[in-house]
Amino acid sequence: MDKRWVLAVLVVGIVAGVGFYLYLGMQRTFGRSSRVVEWIRNSSAHPDWAVQAGARCAPDAPFLMPTGGLIGYLWDDSFQAGKRHQGIDIFGGTDVGQTPVVAAYPGALTRLPTWKSAVIVRLPSDPLQAGRQIWLYYTHMADPNGNSFISSEFPPGTSEKYIEAGTLLGYQGNYTGDAANPSGIHLHFSIVLDDGQGGFLNELDINNTLDPSPYLGLSLNAKLSDGEVIGCQAPGQ
Ligand SMILES: [Zn+2]
């Protein structure tokens, strides 16, 4: 066969393969989307879909579940081609300002002066990699207009305030920065890497975040998920 044909067949094959891989990934995300929509419409019909705030989902998991509800979206989900989700989204199934958000792990809490819906907690030593500093980011704790649901203990400008695991941080909201386009009511939770100079890297890039699976003791990596509801097997649940 002509070499150019071989090359053309190879290129077409690679493009088709990559396309199919992206398609499969997005299919799984679409599957989770339909469950999120069903949950938001009628959470009371699916009490077994919910995890509980403060639960430890595996005996060796260092983090507590930071809020209650359906774990709707996972780390590395793709809402559109090329965009990768850097954390997990937990949907309370309630109205805004009702579902509590608690600290997954002790640390030093900062809320930048401009932050309406988010706090970040510094962990001087990663419980799964001693000596490495990491950060826990909690966001969407405000209504569409930016009215904050963060606890009054942590006003804008709070810096390095020590908190215990389980401390109430605030309540789930749907703030996105665009009042005309709020999100579903949820908490976005992510584990952010340190910049090596005592600050945190940009949370919006998945390469600056960690897969939360081993920290919460659940399968939270979209690429490894079987698409089933993610339940917490903590005692008493
Ligand atoms: Zn999210």
Side-chain angles (χ1 to χ4, degrees), residues 9-205:
V9 167
L10 267 176
V11 168
V12 168
I14 289 167
V15 168
V18 168
F20 188 62
Y21 177 78
L22 288 174
Y23 168 79
L24 279 184
M26 292 186 73
Q27 277 298 104
R28 281 192 289 258
T29 303
F30 290 147
R32 279 189 275 282
S33 290
S34 52
R35 190 182 294 130
V36 167
V37 168
E38 166 64 14
W39 171 253
I40 288 172
R41 279 193 191 133
N42 193 9
S43 61
S44 60
H46 306 283
D48 52 317
W49 288 3
V51 297
Q52 308 302 321
R56 193 181 304 278
C57 297
D60 58 350
F63 290 180
L64 305 180
M65 188 55 62
T67 191
L70 170 70
I71 302 175
Y73 294 110
L74 308 182
W75 187 78
D76 211 5
D77 256 324
S78 283
F79 304 113
Q80 61 188 90
K83 287 218 169 174
R84 299 169 66 191
H85 190 226
Q86 343 78 276
I88 57 170
D89 290 345
I90 305 171
F91 293 79
T94 63
D95 204 348
V96 296
Q98 293 182 5
T99 301
V101 174
V102 301
Y105 199 79
L109 182 147
T110 289
R111 179 181 175 190
L112 296 184
T114 55
W115 282 4
K116 297 180 168 79
S117 72
V119 298
I120 197 160
V121 178
R122 184 174 65 83
L123 277 55
S125 183
D126 179 341
L128 297 183
Q129 190 176 312
R132 170 169 74 168
Q133 178 157 286
I134 56 172
W135 302 76
L136 305 187
Y137 183 66
Y138 305 77
T139 193
H140 294 297
M141 293 183 285
D143 76 5
N145 296 311
N147 298 306
S148 184
F149 300 127
I150 295 172
S151 164
S152 58
E153 300 281 308
F154 313 115
T158 296
S159 176
E160 292 279 314
K161 184 166 182 177
Y162 182 80
I163 55 161
E164 294 287 352
T167 299
L168 178 70
L169 302 180
Y171 298 87
Q172 290 185 24
N174 53 1
Y175 177 75
T176 59
D178 178 356
N181 289 298
S183 63
I185 297 156
H186 73 288
L187 171 75
H188 171 96
F189 173 72
S190 62
I191 307 171
V192 185
L193 293 170
D194 194 81
D195 67 3
Q197 291 158 37
F200 48 87
L201 290 173
N202 180 5
E203 190 265 347
L204 296 175
D205 182 344

